[in-house]
Amino acid sequence: MIAEGRIALNGEKLTTPATLLENLQGVTVDGKPVRPPAATRLFRFYKPPAALTAERDPKGRATIYDRLPPGLPRLVPVGRLDFMTEGLLLLTNDGELKRQLELPKSGVIRTYRARAYGHVTQAQLEKLAEGITIEGIHYGSINANLERRTGSNCWVEMSLTEGKNREVRRVLAHLGLKVSRLIRTAYGPLTLEGLEPGDADEVASAALEAFRTTLK
C-alpha cells in the first residue's frame, strides 16, 4: 500500500515502511483518516443447543448469529462449541484477544458438565489427570469428577485446557459413556451465572483486564 502511494502522513505520501509513529494522528489511507482501534470488548453468550458456531451454514442449519440478541456489535466467537453442545461461548471484537484465549499455552481452563448414559467410576475419571491417547490423538490432563448418578445416567464435571475437537465427548465415549447433554459452564473465571439459553451480556472492563492478566 505504501508502494502504491496510498498511505500519507500529514498530507505527504510515505515512501518507506520504516516510519516511526507515536500515534495515528495525521495518518491517512486513500485520503481517509485512520481511526484508532476500537476498545476491546468481550461478551458472554449462552449458546443454546442446535446452533452452529459459524457465520453461515451451507446446509441451512441455524448458527449462533441467528440466536444472538439484537443490537450487539460485530463479534467473533472465541473457539467453538459443537452443534448440539450448549453453554458459555465468549464473543469479542478483538482478533488478538480471540487468538490469545484460544491458545492452549494460555492455560485457560474450560469447564463442562456432561449428562451421560452408562457406568463409570471416580477412579476411572481420576486417571484422566494423567492424559489419555485415543485413536492416535493425545488429550492432556483432565480434571474429572462424578457429580451424581440417577439410574443409568450420571453427571460428570470435567475441566481441561486444550479443548480439542469433540474432546469431552470422545473421552467419555472411550470410557463407555454416551453423552446426551453437554454444557460448557465456565471459560476461565467467566461462568454462565445469570444467563439463560440465548442470553448475552458484556463482561465489565475491569473483569476483562483482570482476566487478561492471568493469561500465560
Side-chain angles (χ1 to χ4, degrees), residues 94-192:
D94 187 325
E96 183 178 350
L97 176 63
K98 166 184 163 68
R99 289 188 293 272
Q100 189 177 20
L101 290 174
E102 289 174 345
L103 288 173
K105 71 177 184 180
S106 294
V108 181
I109 297 175
R110 291 91 150 159
T111 303
Y112 297 80
R113 291 185 71 235
R115 183 179 65 194
Y117 176 83
H119 179 76
V120 70
T121 65
Q122 181 61 34
Q124 286 177 292
L125 294 174
E126 288 177 0
K127 283 187 177 181
L128 297 177
E130 304 168 4
I132 188 172
T133 299
I134 303 171
E135 297 180 353
I137 300 176
H138 182 74
Y139 300 98
S141 177
I142 298 173
N143 181 18
N145 291 287
L146 184 61
E147 286 190 335
R148 68 177 187 269
R149 189 188 310 280
T150 306
S152 299
N153 288 292
C154 61
W155 280 95
V156 178
E157 183 180 71
M158 304 175 71
S159 297
L160 48 102
T161 58
E162 285 188 316
K164 290 179 179 175
N165 185 37
R166 300 181 63 81
E167 180 169 349
V168 172
R169 294 179 185 275
R170 285 174 174 167
V171 169
L172 292 181
H174 182 74
L175 296 179
L177 298 176
K178 183 177 181 180
V179 174
S180 58
R181 187 180 182 190
L182 182 58
I183 311 166
R184 182 155 69 190
T185 58
Y187 200 104
L190 304 177
T191 71
L192 280 177

Side-chain angles (χ1 to χ4, degrees), residues 65-116:
Y65 294 99
D66 297 316
R67 301 290 184 256
L68 284 170
L72 296 178
R74 179 169 177 78
L75 300 167
V76 291
V78 175
R80 61 180 57 245
L81 291 176
D82 294 338
F83 184 67
M84 289 305 300
T85 301
E86 62 187 280
L88 184 62
L89 183 65
L90 300 183
L91 302 158
T92 182
N93 64 339
D94 187 325
E96 183 178 350
L97 176 63
K98 166 184 163 68
R99 289 188 293 272
Q100 189 177 20
L101 290 174
E102 289 174 345
L103 288 173
K105 71 177 184 180
S106 294
V108 181
I109 297 175
R110 291 91 150 159
T111 303
Y112 297 80
R113 291 185 71 235
R115 183 179 65 194

Side-chain angles (χ1 to χ4, degrees), residues 7-10 14 21 23-29 32-34:
I7 301 179
L9 177 61
N10 296 324
L14 296 182
L21 299 175
N23 53 57
L24 292 173
Q25 186 174 352
V27 179
T28 60
V29 177
K32 298 178 181 179
V34 176

